[in-house]
Amino acid sequence: MDSNSPIRGKFITLEGLEGVGKTTNRTFVESLLNEHNIEFVGTREPGGTELGESLRNLVLHAAGQMQNETELLLMAASRVEHVGQVIEPALASGRWVLCDRFLDASIAYQGAGRQLGVSRVAELHKMMGVTIKPDLTLLLDMPVEAGLARMAARGKPDRIESEALEFFERARAAYLQRAADDPDRVVIIDASRSVEAVQASVKSALMPFVNAA
Ligand code: Z5A
């Protein structure tokens, strides 16, 4: 099916650093879609397939050292499975896909955070046939330290969460650059406000898509 087919579902992603409220707002978007009787698949990266969830466990919790390139390849491998097994089939059947993180996360974390290069990360995905682009990306943004403070109460940090502040500052800057480069797709939402205020912004970004469905 061609990507402009009228029955093709919408592909919505949630992005941002740790503790910005992706999970909180994913639940909110799911309830909005349910209210409007829109069929959707809720999913996440890394993960979203059986193999992808194993790769997630490996990339976030592997003991010992891991080369940055290996981290990128594991994220990308999970994404290739996810696109092929879940995202494309759902969209082609008319269902929407709501995904907690996608390619923008690899651009931000591996391209900028790990300094592997934003264009190298984009090229790698093209080479692997991952060309699908979200229709809407909700970029929840707030100062890095504030997000990390929200997460402080949670258990032991994973491999990536244990990184230094500068790593997350680079990732945040890359996310904001993605938004500047693609303003029709990426909506920046100030995530430092109350849950209600953030949800009001999420709703106004989403409703034009819902109303057109
Ligand atoms: N990663 C990568 O490097 N490359 C890639 O390509 C991909 C991922 C796809 C897993 O991500 C890791 O993989 C992540 C990036 C990397 N690593 N790091 N670091 P994840 O999405 O599974 O995990 P996460 O980024 O660490 O997200 P999270 O921990 O689930 O946080 P969140 O979903 O953004 O936030 P939350 O759970 O909704 O909220 C956090 C807390 O804040 C919670 O107590 C809420 O009740 C509270 N909260 C939420 N909103 C508010 C407001 N507005 N006010 C006050 N308090 C709030």
Side-chain angles (χ1 to χ4, degrees):
M1 180 176 305
D2 96 66
S3 61
N4 294 317
S5 163
I7 77 147
R8 194 173 167 88
K10 295 294 175 202
F11 182 23
I12 314 286
T13 57
L14 286 154
E15 295 279 1
L17 299 184
E18 289 27 74
V20 294
K22 292 178 302 299
T23 309
T24 307
N25 286 287
R26 177 175 156 190
T27 308
F28 174 68
V29 172
E30 286 176 353
S31 65
L32 274 178
L33 297 180
N34 280 328
E35 251 173 55
H36 288 84
N37 298 315
I38 291 174
E39 275 191 55
F40 68 92
V41 173
T43 187
R44 69 170 180 181
E45 289 199 355
T49 64
E50 200 177 339
L51 177 54
E53 291 294 327
S54 303
L55 292 168
R56 177 188 177 94
N57 191 39
L58 193 60
V59 72
L60 297 183
H61 303 292
Q65 287 192 355
M66 183 182 293
Q67 297 296 307
N68 292 339
E69 287 78 0
T70 304
E71 182 179 280
L72 169 61
L73 291 168
L74 291 174
M75 296 292 180
S78 163
R79 185 161 301 123
V80 168
E81 290 302 320
H82 198 204
V83 170
Q85 290 188 41
V86 176
I87 297 175
E88 278 290 2
L91 295 175
S93 73
R95 281 174 298 160
W96 289 30
V97 173
L98 175 61
C99 190
D100 189 338
R101 297 190 182 280
F102 190 63
L103 173 59
D104 293 313
S106 288
I107 299 277
Y109 283 80
Q110 282 67 51
R114 297 288 190 217
Q115 299 181 294
L116 290 176
V118 162
S119 53
R120 271 174 87 202
V121 173
E123 277 307 314
L124 172 74
H125 283 79
K126 253 189 235 159
M127 204 174 85
M128 292 189 301
V130 177
T131 53
I132 185 175
K133 224 169 129 173
D135 296 288
L136 171 67
T137 294
L138 301 161
L139 173 57
L140 296 162
D141 178 66
M142 64 193 278
V144 173
E145 277 162 316
L148 294 177
R150 278 190 192 162
M151 302 307 292
R154 243 175 33 172
K156 192 171 173 280
D158 65 38
R159 276 184 58 252
I160 299 175
E161 285 167 350
S162 310
E163 278 303 321
L165 207 58
E166 304 78 63
F167 170 88
F168 294 107
E169 294 288 6
R170 286 195 295 274
R172 183 185 183 203
Y175 267 135
L176 291 173
Q177 188 60 51
R178 296 289 277 173
D181 291 344
D182 201 352
D184 291 340
R185 171 178 70 90
V186 185
V187 176
I188 301 173
I189 292 172
D190 176 359
S192 66
R193 298 167 298 155
S194 68
V195 171
E196 295 72 23
V198 172
Q199 288 178 346
S201 299
V202 165
K203 188 172 179 180
S204 59
L206 190 71
M207 285 317 284
F209 292 86
V210 169
N211 290 333

